[in-house]
């Protein structure tokens, strides 16, 4: 293992550490919340834990001068569907169905597989090129955002109301704004009609992806944590608390 000597390498180290710390936090928080939120916190911790492991691999690959693309997409193909599961878990109480969850998982898989083809071997798969693959990926992304903002996911959240709706709305902003960081990174790292952007913004694609991951994976988990903890305020004191007073 070599010491990072460049900015990008350093963000892999920071990312690995932040993801690990977040995992410990989410796992340890499980005991302090109502049973119905434990699985949600477990999933939050799994998302950051899976990322932590991949960050260690990407950190080493980057330091060795190798591509990180495969590790990046293996990480995403595991963690993004888990974020879809997270929507399902918090909305289950309000009647979210498994079919809704699978629809989110399906479109997120389409988004990532097409994105991978756009990055792998310069986007040469099927002769489409990065811009075309990126467009296909973007279409799947918009459909997910639509489902979360206006479609069936939103409808269930509205019927849940209260703290669950509030958490849903925050997660929806993550999908719209936080997830939009990724196509920006993609445009900085691949060749297409948008390549002029690289002259305006001189950021490494990996740095942009690393920022996106920190915001979205840790942020998503904190929204779920906040929901679980806010619900504690409304439950009656436990027998032990009563004994003390
Ligand atoms: C933890 C990882 C997350 C939340 C990853 C999310 C990734 C995306 C939303 C990626 C989207 C892309 C596009 C919309 C178009 C270009 C290709 C991608 C895959 C970068």
């Amino acid at each position: 293992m070599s010491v990072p000597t460049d900015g990008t390498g350093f963000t892999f180290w920071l990312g690995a550490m932040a993801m690990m710390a977040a995992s410990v936090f989410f796992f340890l928080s499980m005991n302090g919340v109502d049973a119905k939120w434990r699985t949600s916190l477990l999933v939050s911790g799994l998302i950051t834990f899976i990322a932590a492991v991949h960050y260690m691999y990407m950190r080493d690959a980057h330091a060795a001068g190798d591509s990180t693309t495969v590790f990046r997409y293996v990480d995403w193909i595991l963690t993004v569907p888990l974020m879809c599961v997270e929507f399902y878990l918090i909305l289950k109480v309000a009647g979210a169905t498994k079919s809704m969850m699978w629809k989110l998982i399906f479109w997120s898989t389409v988004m990532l597989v097409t994105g991978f083809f756009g990055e792998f071997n310069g986007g040469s798969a099927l002769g489409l090129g990065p811009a075309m693959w990126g467009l296909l990926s973007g279409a799947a992304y918009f459909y997910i955002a639509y489902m979360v903002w206006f479609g069936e996911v939103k409808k269930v959240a509205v019927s849940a109301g209260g703290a669950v709706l509030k958490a849903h709305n925050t997660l929806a902003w993550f999908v719209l704004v936080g997830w939009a960081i990724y196509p920006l990174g993609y445009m900085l790292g691949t060749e297409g009609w948008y390549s002029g952007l690289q002259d305006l913004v001189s950021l490494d694609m990996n740095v942009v992806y690393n920022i996106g991951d920190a915001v979205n994976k840790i942020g998503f988990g904190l929204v779920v944590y906040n929901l679980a903890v806010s619900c504690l305020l409304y439950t009656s004191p436990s027998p032990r608390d009563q004994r003390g007073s």
Side-chain angles (χ1 to χ4, degrees):
M1 200 187 306
S2 44
V3 169
T5 50
D6 64 306
T8 304
F10 189 62
T11 64
F12 279 119
W13 278 83
L14 269 185
M17 213 51 242
M19 295 295 177
M20 259 191 271
S23 309
V24 172
F25 177 78
F26 294 133
F27 288 144
L28 291 182
S29 299
M30 285 173 65
N31 275 324
V33 303
D34 194 81
K36 68 170 184 276
W37 300 119
R38 275 186 203 146
T39 316
S40 306
L41 277 176
L42 174 67
V43 173
S44 294
L46 287 176
I47 289 169
T48 49
F49 182 76
I50 291 168
V53 173
H54 284 86
Y55 267 74
M56 291 191 276
Y57 281 105
M58 288 194 284
R59 184 189 67 188
D60 292 351
H62 176 81
D66 296 335
S67 163
T68 51
T69 305
V70 171
F71 291 130
R72 179 74 76 186
Y73 277 86
V74 172
D75 173 332
W76 289 353
I77 208 85
L78 296 170
T79 51
V80 177
L82 283 175
M83 293 173 130
C84 300
V85 171
E86 206 76 290
F87 272 106
Y88 166 73
L89 286 175
I90 69 164
L91 297 174
K92 208 167 61 168
V93 280
T97 59
K98 284 245 169 68
S99 106
M100 180 200 95
M101 179 187 82
W102 284 113
K103 238 180 266 178
L104 286 172
I105 292 177
F106 174 79
W107 288 109
S108 66
T109 307
V110 171
M111 172 180 86
L112 295 173
V113 169
T114 49
F116 177 76
F117 281 132
E119 285 193 42
F120 194 71
N121 267 337
S124 59
L126 300 179
L128 289 185
M132 195 59 198
W133 283 115
L135 191 68
L136 293 171
S137 175
Y141 167 49
F142 273 118
Y143 187 63
I144 296 167
Y146 171 81
M147 277 182 78
V148 167
W149 274 84
F150 308 107
E152 58 182 296
V153 187
K154 175 70 181 200
K155 292 201 179 85
V156 184
V158 168
S159 77
V164 170
L165 176 60
K166 248 183 82 189
H168 169 87
N169 287 343
T170 314
L171 293 183
W173 277 108
F174 273 97
V175 170
L176 191 67
V177 180
W179 287 22
I181 295 171
Y182 298 97
L184 182 69
Y186 182 90
M187 290 194 282
L188 291 173
T190 61
E191 293 302 323
W193 56 265
Y194 42 73
S195 290
L197 198 67
Q198 293 163 11
D199 302 326
L200 295 173
V201 186
S202 63
L203 270 179
D204 189 284
M205 173 170 65
N206 270 315
V207 172
V208 178
Y209 283 168
N210 291 354
I211 293 171
D213 280 355
V215 168
N216 290 294
K217 291 182 167 64
I218 301 174
F220 235 70
L222 285 174
V223 173
V224 171
Y225 168 80
N226 189 53
L227 171 63
V229 170
S230 73
C231 292
L232 283 176
L233 303 173
Y234 306 113
T235 52
S236 52
S238 69
R240 200 181 51 195
D241 294 338
Q242 281 166 346
R243 225 185 297 132
S245 59

